[in-house]
């Protein structure tokens, strides 16, 4: 408890319990924890080659890199990927250890 209170341990106890549950599920000792993520609604991954992804674990649409970031984020294919993520239709999301949730009204990360 002192490590959390004093800031020595940066992650919250809840986050560490979630990581443990994820590791246990990976070893077949339980179910993966539920994922709540809206990261692709407020961030994206821009690869060194110009490819654009909705998150680190989901490939972006095939084809050449977009002419601009705004164009790439607003293509029908990228919009469809974000819709699939919102609807929890992407298999990658069910086992994601890196899920991020940001309240829509929150200006910055805590």
């Amino acid at each position: 408890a002192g490590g959390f209170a004093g800031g020595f341990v940066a992650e919250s106890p809840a986050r560490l319990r979630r990581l443990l549950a994820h590791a246990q599920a990976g070893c077949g000792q339980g179910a993966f924890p539920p994922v709540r993520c809206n990261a692709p609604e407020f961030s994206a991954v821009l690869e060194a080659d110009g490819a654009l992804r909705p998150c680190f674990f989901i490939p972006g649409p095939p084809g050449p890199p977009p002419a601009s970031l705004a164009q790439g984020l607003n293509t029908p294919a990228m919009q469809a990927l974000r819709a699939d993520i919102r609807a929890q239709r992407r298999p990658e999301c069910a086992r994601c250890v890196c899920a991020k949730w940001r309240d829509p009204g929150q200006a910055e990360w805590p």
Side-chain angles (χ1 to χ4, degrees):
F4 293 106
F8 181 76
V9 179
E11 295 290 354
S12 71
R15 174 76 173 149
L16 292 177
R17 282 191 289 276
R18 186 179 192 293
L19 290 172
L20 174 62
H22 192 276
Q24 289 171 326
C27 293
Q29 298 174 357
F32 283 94
V35 174
R36 184 178 187 210
C37 180
N38 66 353
E41 300 296 327
F42 59 85
S43 68
V45 177
L46 182 61
E47 300 283 354
D49 65 359
L52 190 60
R53 296 170 165 257
C55 81
F56 285 107
F57 306 105
I58 298 175
S68 72
L69 182 59
Q71 178 190 14
L73 290 172
N74 293 304
T75 64
M78 188 62 85
Q79 290 177 11
L81 273 174
R82 288 194 302 270
D84 282 348
I85 294 166
R86 273 192 304 276
Q88 300 179 347
R89 288 190 292 257
R90 293 298 302 208
E92 301 94 328
C93 298
R95 295 179 174 212
C96 185
V97 71
C98 190
K100 302 284 185 196
W101 179 263
R102 181 174 168 183
D103 290 324
Q106 185 179 3
E108 295 183 23
W109 287 101

